[in-house]
Amino acid sequence: MMFDKILMAYDGSREGRVALEGCEGLARLTGAEVHLLAVLPLQTGLFLAEGVMPGEVLDEDRRRFQAVLDEGVAALAARGFQAQGHLRSGEPVEEIAELARELGATLIVLGHRQQRGFAARWWKGSIGATLLDRAPCSVLIVLERGKG
């Protein structure tokens, strides 16, 4: 299977940056088109719908998520890659799967924070585990090794 269109969910975290490096390496090997996605969490939208969250707070969240997305696109550009950024709001799993379908992505890339003990039970409640059931293509989970 050829990975020619990669969608990476990017949140600016350390794990996200490690995944960005992995995504870059894979794109370099395959010549894939790269898309980055930042998802403004659904909670923000729910608060707004209920009239609890003022517009200024939503605008600030949107600016913050856009800045994270721009950072990822710029990091790839500095390494010689042209990536397209996408900002969405909603449930992360649904937004990732939906954009992957729209783009015709052949691979979704995610970073993952390794958990220990009780929290480590087969990704319980994680985006990655749920995405595996909804993704229209393969999913690559990039782990940072040598930590902890």
Side-chain angles (χ1 to χ4, degrees):
M1 169 178 254
M2 179 64 162
F3 299 121
D4 60 354
K5 194 175 287 188
I6 299 172
L7 172 61
M8 185 187 159
Y10 186 68
D11 64 2
S13 67
R14 184 178 77 211
E15 295 81 12
R17 289 183 179 110
V18 169
L20 191 68
E21 290 175 16
C23 182
E24 174 207 346
L26 189 57
R28 190 174 304 283
L29 286 171
T30 63
E33 178 181 317
V34 178
H35 294 261
L36 295 185
L37 170 64
V39 180
L40 190 61
L42 183 61
Q43 295 88 341
T44 301
L46 287 176
F47 289 140
L48 183 62
E50 294 174 6
V52 176
M53 180 172 279
E56 301 85 41
V57 174
L58 180 61
D59 289 344
E60 179 58 33
D61 280 351
R62 187 170 298 283
R63 281 191 296 273
R64 189 169 41 88
F65 277 79
Q66 185 65 55
V68 165
L69 180 60
D70 292 345
E71 168 204 306
V73 170
L76 287 174
R79 297 174 187 149
F81 282 92
Q82 187 171 17
Q84 184 173 351
H86 305 268
L87 179 63
R88 299 237 175 145
S89 59
E91 176 60 41
V93 168
E94 297 303 322
E95 296 303 322
I96 294 166
E98 177 68 22
L99 184 56
R101 274 187 214 79
E102 289 174 17
L103 295 172
T106 52
L107 181 67
I108 296 169
V109 176
L110 302 169
H112 177 67
R113 178 177 295 115
Q114 291 182 299
Q115 301 171 347
R116 302 194 186 283
F118 180 76
R121 290 190 185 148
W122 184 222
W123 279 355
K124 185 172 181 135
S126 81
I127 290 173
T130 307
L131 183 59
L132 289 175
D133 291 332
R134 294 196 172 94
C137 59
S138 296
V139 177
L140 173 66
I141 308 298
V142 179
L143 302 175
E144 180 178 24
R145 294 293 184 192
K147 300 285 180 189

